[in-house]
Amino acid sequence: MPTRLVALGAGPDIRVDRAVVLVGRDPRCDVRLDSWRVSRIHCCLAPDRDAIVVRDLASTNGTWINGRRVVTGRLRAGDALAIAHHRYRLEAERTPEVMPLSRCG
C-alpha cells in the first residue's frame, strides 16, 4: 500500500513507495530536505504491513513520532512525524473502489 507523509508546513510531501526511503540534506538521499537543522543523512523510512518503520540515523536534531523522540518507531495512519523542524502527518493512500462487473451496464 503506497503511503505518503503530508507536509504540515514548508517542505515536500514524502511518498513511501519503495523498500527504504532515505531522508536528509545530502543530495544522495531519496528525499532531500534543504535545511541546516536536518542532518546530512537524517533518517530512513520503510513500509511494513500497515505501518511505516522510522529509524533515526544518529541525527543531531532528532526524529520524533507523536511528540516523542525516537531511535526506531512505527507510524500508522494519522500519526505525526517530525524530522528536525519539518512536520508531517501519515496518510495511507487508498486504492479506488472498483465496482464488480455484475453491477456495470
Side-chain angles (χ1 to χ4, degrees):
M1 160 177 66
T3 55
R4 72 181 170 130
L5 291 160
V6 177
L8 300 177
D13 288 355
I14 299 173
R15 288 186 56 85
V16 183
D17 56 358
R18 60 184 90 173
V20 176
V21 175
L22 191 60
V23 180
R25 206 176 63 233
D26 192 282
R28 295 171 292 176
C29 289
D30 300 310
V31 175
R32 188 160 181 250
L33 300 177
D34 190 22
S35 168
W36 62 272
R37 294 181 188 171
V38 175
S39 294
R40 275 185 232 120
I41 299 175
H42 197 100
C43 65
C44 64
L45 312 169
D48 182 38
R49 291 183 231 146
D50 63 339
I52 300 294
V53 175
V54 178
R55 183 175 312 251
D56 184 85
L57 300 173
S59 69
T60 300
N61 289 311
T63 303
W64 305 72
I65 295 176
N66 296 326
R68 289 186 51 216
R69 190 169 185 162
V70 297
V71 173
T72 302
R74 296 175 68 80
L75 284 172
R76 289 189 168 59
D79 283 347
L81 174 69
I83 299 169
H85 65 288
H86 290 272
R87 308 278 186 259
Y88 297 91
R89 174 125 4 246
L90 180 64
E91 288 186 358
E93 292 184 1
R94 302 182 195 280
T95 53
E97 286 190 34
V98 178
M99 185 182 295
L101 285 175
S102 62
R103 294 188 182 176
C104 291

